Amino acid sequence: MKIEFQKDLSALNTFRMRVKAAAYAEYNSVDELRAILDNPDLPGPKYHIGGGSNLLFTGDFPGTILHSCLKGLILKRDESGITVQVGAGETWDEFCEWAAAEGLWGPENLSLIPGEVGAAAVQNIGAYGVEVKDIITGVEVLDTHDHTTGTIDVEECGYGYRESHFKGEWKGRFIVTSVTFRLTEDYAPRLDYGHVKESMKAAYGDETLTPRMVRDEIIRIRRTKLPDVKEIGSAGSFFKNPYVTQEQYEDIADIYPEVPHFPLPDGRVKIPAAWLIEKAGLKGYVKGNAAVYARQPLVIVNHTGKAAPWEIISLERKIIRTVRSRFGVTLSPEVEHI
């Protein structure tokens, strides 16, 4: 267990916001977590972070930041298949690397997404046609109401597009301690998203793909489009892809027939937020120390490394206003504001 007061959080959030927390507590076991929650010297509110990769600190945090150091992987093989229970504090991409090295299909399309395993389950991370809910069987949690532990089946987690009950009605109640995934040795590449199939074909021809090969190509694709958070501060994709009505889509398509779109079963249409931001003329736009990333307009970056939270928020608001004025579509941030 580690407890610090007036903790500098600049190295604990990928946006590199120069903010502090009144207190910071790390734990290596569930018992240590219970002790932290019962500690009267730690100020509230208490907020749990993973790798700090999908959040924006809007200023100094007045309470206690919690961080898991729960590690370990438990692999099980039986007549029902292969499962692996992974500690919430494990780095997500290291889990993807491990699965690929073991020849196990499941998380390869989600390679190189920053953050930790517990946060991945909370956020329902997704990329290249796969969401993490697709491979989760259950989420092990501690209930902060009574400090009991248990497992929540994936069907009960309320997963949706970048959503879960952990972010909504359960927010602040459950702390993820580990996540159990179902993986497979059976040939199971998922290549239907965008140009992934073409990229795999160009890279490997007619070779039989392995999880390692898919992972390597996904990493290559991501690196051509997205900034490395170790080099430039960002929180990954800043906005959710909006769902619009059929009428809204048709209004946009009348002007831009080439608009990429994905019809949904409920009659709505999903349009990529990155396309809307680029067509609004904001790709590469710089505002003070913040900028819209030149290679991927869905990403806001700490352009100089010196951006203050208000500068990121100011640019966020400008993007929302401009896209709404141009297309009548209101973007919603994917990044959580704290």
Side-chain angles (χ1 to χ4, degrees), residues 109-219:
N109 286 41
L110 305 176
S111 292
L112 211 64
I113 294 178
E116 295 174 356
V117 167
V122 170
Q123 302 291 342
N124 189 26
I125 60 172
Y128 302 105
V130 176
E131 293 179 317
V132 74
K133 70 173 180 62
D134 300 335
I135 59 172
I136 289 176
T137 66
V139 181
E140 292 74 42
V141 300
L142 179 140
D143 189 335
T144 60
H145 288 183
D146 57 14
H147 295 188
T148 59
T149 57
T151 299
I152 302 176
D153 291 339
V154 64
E155 293 83 6
E156 301 173 14
C157 292
Y159 282 125
Y161 173 56
R162 305 298 182 269
E163 293 293 342
S164 73
H165 288 329
F166 300 109
K167 293 180 67 177
E169 61 190 77
W170 296 343
K171 187 176 177 65
R173 177 176 176 183
F174 293 111
I175 295 176
V176 176
T177 57
S178 64
V179 184
T180 300
F181 302 93
R182 183 169 299 282
L183 309 181
T184 182
E185 291 175 319
D186 296 336
Y187 189 70
R190 286 157 292 182
L191 310 177
D192 294 333
Y193 185 87
H195 62 282
V196 173
K197 185 177 293 185
E198 291 75 15
S199 294
M200 295 297 171
K201 183 75 171 178
Y204 301 113
D206 294 326
E207 288 186 63
T208 300
L209 297 174
T210 66
R212 164 68 65 189
M213 294 159 74
V214 174
R215 169 177 160 79
D216 288 347
E217 186 60 14
I218 290 293
I219 289 174

Side-chain angles (χ1 to χ4, degrees), residues 51-70:
S53 60
N54 195 52
L55 55 84
L56 171 64
F57 282 104
T58 59
D60 289 343
F61 188 72
T64 302
I65 293 294
L66 306 178
H67 182 246
S68 171
C69 293
L70 297 174

